[in-house]
Amino acid sequence: MQDQLEVITANDAFYEALGRYDIDDMSEIWAKDPWVTCVHPGWKIIYGWEEIEESWKSIFSSEGRLEVSVSHAQVHLAGDYAWVICNENISTTLNKNFFRSNMQATNIFMKQRGRWLMVHHHASPIPEPEPQEFGNTVQ
Amino acid sequence: MQDQLEVITANDAFYEALGRYDIDDMSEIWAKDPWVTCVHPGWKIIYGWEEIEESWKSIFSSEGRLEVSVSHAQVHLAGDYAWVICNENISTTLNKNFFRSNMQATNIFMKQRGRWLMVHHHASPIPEPEPQEFGNTVQ
């Protein structure tokens, strides 16, 4: 139960760093092994913290700001590894415009020296629901 | 090394079942636990073998046919769990038309009674490279 809580806390910390565009906090969350991997939505996979750090810096240099909330999180423990499957509910503000998007994420963590660190992040867009039809249509 | 080979064999068997549209072979590959999960490209996540089986039956009922080859496969062992990160290179034939697409996949396996079974599949499109510009353009 303790591990489960620690993993969900690590997962939440990842999204808090993302929401704050905080590269130092993001760095705290990731393992620094050369084999760690990251798939941003619509990007090619990138390998190793160095490349991953560059990608976050590029995302965080955007003028937009985003808010992320996580839902439907499912934690699976596998010894010193764990994976979390969750929905990312993202609101982006850019030049007074406002966008909402939903992503499906698979996040894998590894326990290193007592801390759960991210070793793989794979996020991809979830299709938007069909627009609702209203009863009162203009004929 | 033995586990590594067994996991890559299980991963290959998944793509062979997909390429043959073979629901029985696909069933052999998946764990039947209610918490297993699948994210087809552009689909919402689905839970449990029953729903996942329905999704494969729906995909396999298409008149199109596809060929899949796997590249850049990376296997990570975590005790009785393992994950594979790989590219899916897909050629689809439908009504004499031919399409190519590339997907990024995160596949998680669990060893149950000596067999590596899939417990999570997450695939999403990889962006196509920009079209090449040719020197001889029509002015």
Side-chain angles (χ1 to χ4, degrees), chain B residues 4-20:
Chain B
Q4 188 112 1
L5 274 175
E6 285 177 14
V7 170
I8 206 74
T9 303
N11 197 61
D12 286 345
F14 168 72
Y15 289 106
E16 283 160 21
L18 173 56
R20 285 196 306 269

Side-chain angles (χ1 to χ4, degrees), chain B residues 102-117:
Chain B
N102 290 298
M103 304 287 161
Q104 176 64 49
T106 300
N107 297 325
I108 305 181
F109 295 86
M110 182 184 178
K111 200 171 192 177
Q112 292 186 351
R113 291 180 292 279
R115 289 186 57 226
W116 287 98
L117 298 176

Side-chain angles (χ1 to χ4, degrees), chain A residues 42 47 78 81 85 106 120 122 124 127, chain B residues 42 74 78 81 106 120 122 124 127:
Chain A
Y47 298 90
Y81 292 84
I85 295 160
T106 300
H120 178 61
H122 183 171
S124 61
Chain B
Q74 232 189 42
Y81 292 84
T106 300
H120 178 61
H122 183 171
S124 60

Side-chain angles (χ1 to χ4, degrees), chain B residues 14-129:
Chain B
F14 168 72
Y15 289 106
E16 283 160 21
L18 173 56
R20 285 196 306 269
Y21 281 23
D22 189 321
I23 193 66
D24 294 328
D25 285 359
M26 187 56 87
S27 172
E28 286 291 308
I29 285 150
W30 280 82
K32 301 301 179 297
D33 303 81
W35 50 264
V36 302
T37 37
C38 181
V39 184
H40 296 298
W43 290 42
K44 283 194 178 184
I45 190 168
I46 47 181
Y47 299 90
W49 171 244
E50 210 166 305
E51 257 195 88
I52 294 169
E53 183 181 30
E54 281 312 306
S55 74
W56 288 119
K57 282 184 177 169
S58 154
I59 290 166
F60 295 169
S61 71
S62 152
E63 288 191 9
R65 281 293 169 263
L66 53 84
E67 278 182 41
V68 195
S69 69
V70 172
S71 64
H72 301 84
Q74 232 189 42
V75 180
H76 298 269
L77 290 172
D80 281 343
Y81 292 84
W83 77 94
V84 181
I85 295 160
C86 61
N87 286 3
E88 307 172 349
N89 314 293
I90 300 176
S91 308
T92 316
T93 315
L94 180 64
N95 300 332
K96 295 185 182 167
N97 292 312
F98 180 80
F99 312 91
R100 291 186 78 90
S101 54
N102 290 298
M103 304 287 161
Q104 176 64 49
T106 300
N107 297 325
I108 305 181
F109 295 86
M110 182 184 178
K111 200 171 192 177
Q112 292 186 351
R113 291 180 292 279
R115 289 186 57 226
W116 287 98
L117 298 176
M118 186 169 268
V119 293
H120 178 61
H121 169 64
H122 183 171
S124 60
I126 296 172
E128 292 300 313

